[in-house]
Each structure stands twice: as C-alpha cells, then as structure tokens.
C-alpha cells in the first residue's frame, strides 16, 4: 500500500471509528444496556499508535504556497505524495490565507508533528494558532 492509499485508508478507518462511537452513544441513551466504551477507546488508541509508528517511518514534508488572495498556505507530503492542501488558516471561518510564508510553515510544522503522533487528519485549534503567534483575521 503506497503512502497516499494508507493515508486515505486511515482517514476512512478514523471516520468509521467515530461513527461507531457516536452510534454507541446513541444506543446507550436509548437502551442503557451494558456496553464497554473503554474497549472502543482502547481500539482507537491502538490504531493511533499504529499510525504513529507508520508516520514516524515516513518522510513527511511541507511546502509553502501562494494563494489567490496574495497570501500563503501549505501542502503536506508523505513520501513525496501530497496528502494535505491547506490554502486557508485552519479553525478560522472563511478562506483567508496566512499573512506570511513563515506563519504557513509554522502551522504546517504543527500539523506534521501531530501526524507523527498518529493524528489523522490533524486538527489545529485557535489557541494552538495563537500559541504559534499566527496573525488571525479580525
């Protein structure tokens, strides 16, 4: 399985686990039969560890890009194959890019760090952007 196929498979698997957790929560509310939520959590943690090992062995790189609004975004590559095209600041409504290439690269670095820890697709919050010193739109 090539890196892009692996990435897509892991996104699919993550979505399935999320749906299973949501369905289990709904079932518990409707029918409080005994259910071990810890087993689902343990399965997700095991999967995250597997992904982290695979990502640690992969070459994950980024490239800053210019966006149509004369700002910046980034691409993330796993073993040379593009897996993320981020053309806007994550966690911010709208499509506004970063004000500098440096800010785009810092954010991409955080996303890569999260990927190496097994988070697929990495989410970045506003507090994380603020901690990085990213200029946020008003």
């Amino acid at each position: 399985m090539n890196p892009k196929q692996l990435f897509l498979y892991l996104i699919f698997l993550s979505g399935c686990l999320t749906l299973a957790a949501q369905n289990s929560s709904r079932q518990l509310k409707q029918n409080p039969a005994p259910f071990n939520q810890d087993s689902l959590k343990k399965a997700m943690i095991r999967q995250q560890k597997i992904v982290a090992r695979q990502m640690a062995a992969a070459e994950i790189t980024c490239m800053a890009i210019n966006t149509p609004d004369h700002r910046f975004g980034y691409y993330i590559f796993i073993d040379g194959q593009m897996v993320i095209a981020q053309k806007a600041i994550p966690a911010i409504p709208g499509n506004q890019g970063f004000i500098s290439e440096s800010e785009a690269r810092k954010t991409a670095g955080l996303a890569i760090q999260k990927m190496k820890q097994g988070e697929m697709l990495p989410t970045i919050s506003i507090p994380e952007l603020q901690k990085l010193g990213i200029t946020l739109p008003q």
Side-chain angles (χ1 to χ4, degrees):
M1 186 178 296
N2 71 40
K4 191 168 188 175
Q5 289 171 324
L6 174 64
F7 185 75
L8 293 172
Y9 169 75
L10 293 172
I11 292 170
F12 172 76
L13 184 60
S14 174
C16 289
L17 289 172
T18 301
L19 286 174
Q22 290 171 348
N23 287 337
S24 297
S25 293
R26 266 190 239 115
Q27 287 174 352
L28 278 175
K29 289 175 186 171
Q30 294 169 356
N31 182 14
F35 176 76
N36 187 355
Q37 283 188 321
D38 287 340
S39 63
L40 184 58
K41 185 176 181 179
K42 287 177 184 177
M44 290 176 74
I45 291 170
R46 273 194 308 273
Q47 186 63 37
Q48 188 173 16
K49 287 179 181 178
I50 291 168
V51 172
R53 278 195 301 272
Q54 292 170 336
M55 291 299 108
E59 180 186 11
I60 305 177
T61 58
C62 68
M63 178 177 84
I65 59 168
N66 291 314
T67 61
D69 61 353
H70 304 290
R71 289 181 174 252
F72 298 88
Y74 57 84
Y75 293 148
I76 294 181
F77 302 86
I78 298 177
D79 292 332
Q81 293 192 19
M82 185 176 59
V83 293
I84 295 176
Q86 187 68 45
K87 297 179 181 178
I89 302 172
I92 303 296
N95 294 320
Q96 191 168 343
F98 296 91
I99 65 163
S100 71
E101 183 177 337
S102 170
E103 288 190 5
R105 285 186 180 278
K106 278 197 268 187
T107 307
L110 176 59
I112 290 170
Q113 177 185 358
K114 288 182 169 206
M115 291 171 76
K116 288 193 175 273
Q117 293 171 349
E119 187 176 325
M120 296 303 231
L121 289 166
T123 57
I124 297 176
S125 67
I126 291 175
E128 289 172 320
L129 291 169
Q130 291 169 333
K131 187 176 179 183
L132 289 173
I134 304 302
T135 305
L136 301 176
Q138 301 298 331

